[in-house]
Amino acid sequence: DRFPAIAADARKLGVGTAILDGEAVVLDAEGRSDFGALQRSLGGRGGRQASGDAILYAFDLLYFDGHDLTKMELSGRRHLLEDLVGESEGVIRVSQEVEADGATLLEAAREHGLEGIIAKHRDSVYRSGRLGDWLKIKCIQSESFLIVGYEPSAAARGGIGSLLLAAYQGDAFVYVGSVGTGFKEKEAVELRRMLDTLKTKRAPVAVDKKGVVFVQPTLIAEIEYRAWTDDGKLR
């Protein structure tokens, strides 16, 4: 019900019953998937509206007219998927498959501003979960951001749930999001010790979170991220 155009296109497929594996995306003007545009089309963060702009890139076919295809090798499943969907530029499309040197393809993805590539074994069966049959290789971006606080946690190792980050956007010093992964327990303990010496009651930036501990914006963290969201936060 959130993707009515995809549902309508699915009904036109020449099949009685099928299960397609794929991803709903919204494309930008250059034909790249745009996470911010997808968020907007669904009503923003936490929104519940239907997306009329989303299309489905199908990359696998698991079930076809009474036949379980999960034990068939990937190349065979892809062949059936391509026959089912065809070379359509409609709402449901088959994701592009490229046979190439991985490092060269990743560099091409980076040059085109894509998030990354997926590598799959051509002869693999379909298995749920992350078991090594396929790999997601991301075009990681990184920048330095000032730590302006943290969310305490009794459960997280080192007592830090996440770090609050800020950066200058023009002349304005603004909150750009939080990060809760990437540091080991020993690093988290040392980080908490340093941050607790920099505590301040005055919030360096406006943050819409409760129970956070603000610190003087002194420590800098190198943060890896995928993209910026439309509301100026890190992904």
Side-chain angles (χ1 to χ4, degrees), residues 60-64 67-77 80 122-128 133:
D60 217 328
L61 182 63
L62 314 189
Y63 184 87
F64 183 79
H67 299 283
D68 178 0
L69 306 182
T70 57
K71 300 296 185 286
M72 179 186 284
E73 61 183 25
L74 173 63
S75 55
R77 299 196 309 272
L80 290 172
R122 185 177 293 281
D123 59 355
S124 63
V125 299
Y126 187 96
R127 297 191 295 171
S128 298
D133 291 340

Side-chain angles (χ1 to χ4, degrees), residues 145-146 148 164-177 204-207 228 231-233:
F145 299 93
L146 283 155
V148 291
L164 309 182
L165 307 171
Y168 281 98
Q169 293 180 354
D171 293 331
F173 188 53
V174 296
Y175 174 65
V176 296
V205 291
V207 178
W228 289 91
D231 58 354
K233 302 296 186 296

